[in-house]
Amino acid sequence: MSDLDALGDFNNIDPKQFAQLVKNAPDSQLADLMSSPQRKTILDTIFSRFPELFRADRAGSTNAIIHWNITGAPDGGTDSYELVIANGACTLSPSPDQDPKLSITVGPVDFLKVVAGVGNPMMMFMTGKLKAKGDLGLAANIANLFDIPKA
């Protein structure tokens, strides 16, 4: 059993432990994990934690709807999640159906690296691994709005 198998029981992994697992795993293992049946559970758990990691003190008067599109689903599709930042709070929308101020599209391995604090979103954007459409100022600042764990 590899360390990444622990991600199958993702709800019991703290963010720092998650970051360490992602940092130590080769890309091929992360890709295998994100093309497995565990993908939805992992993504759902990551996005359910965004409101807890939100830093209202850094957000100021930011009000935005952000769509996250994670490509490479096992069926060839994309998983989409909607975060709503409004009135000093961040909430996860049950369905991404509002018009976003920012839409971010990223592959599954790079997504894990970004949310684990081991990938540089700005570098990913510059190299085309992460695509941002809409408010690019918000895109450049988004990492500052969350307490992203570091491995």
Side-chain angles (χ1 to χ4, degrees):
M1 181 164 134
S2 74
D3 288 343
L4 276 184
D5 290 333
L7 289 176
D9 191 22
F10 195 75
N11 288 318
N12 295 321
I13 296 176
D14 70 57
K16 200 160 187 71
Q17 187 181 11
F18 165 74
Q20 194 65 48
L21 287 170
V22 171
K23 179 180 181 180
N24 293 335
D27 286 2
S28 60
Q29 270 192 309
L30 295 174
D32 288 348
L33 180 69
M34 293 304 284
S35 62
S36 77
Q38 296 172 318
R39 174 187 168 108
K40 178 128 177 66
T41 301
I42 291 167
L43 289 175
D44 286 352
T45 303
I46 288 170
F47 281 99
S48 73
R49 290 181 178 173
F50 267 77
E52 298 166 26
L53 300 173
F54 181 67
R55 295 286 309 265
D57 59 314
R58 295 182 187 166
S61 60
T62 301
N63 286 308
I65 295 169
I66 302 167
H67 285 185
W68 283 87
N69 303 298
I70 317 306
T71 62
D75 65 3
T78 298
D79 291 300
S80 297
Y81 292 82
E82 182 175 273
L83 292 177
V84 178
I85 297 173
N87 305 316
C90 175
T91 56
L92 178 63
S93 174
S95 60
D97 53 14
Q98 298 183 67
D99 189 29
K101 184 172 188 175
L102 173 63
S103 182
I104 298 170
T105 303
V106 64
V109 172
D110 290 322
F111 172 74
L112 288 179
K113 289 180 178 183
V114 166
V115 298
V118 295
N120 180 331
M122 193 59 72
M123 189 59 68
M124 288 177 188
F125 176 75
M126 290 171 39
T127 58
K129 291 181 176 182
L130 182 149
K131 294 177 177 48
K133 182 178 171 191
D135 186 336
L136 297 184
L138 176 60
N141 190 47
I142 196 165
N144 296 326
L145 300 180
F146 297 90
D147 232 351
I148 297 173
K150 299 273 189 271

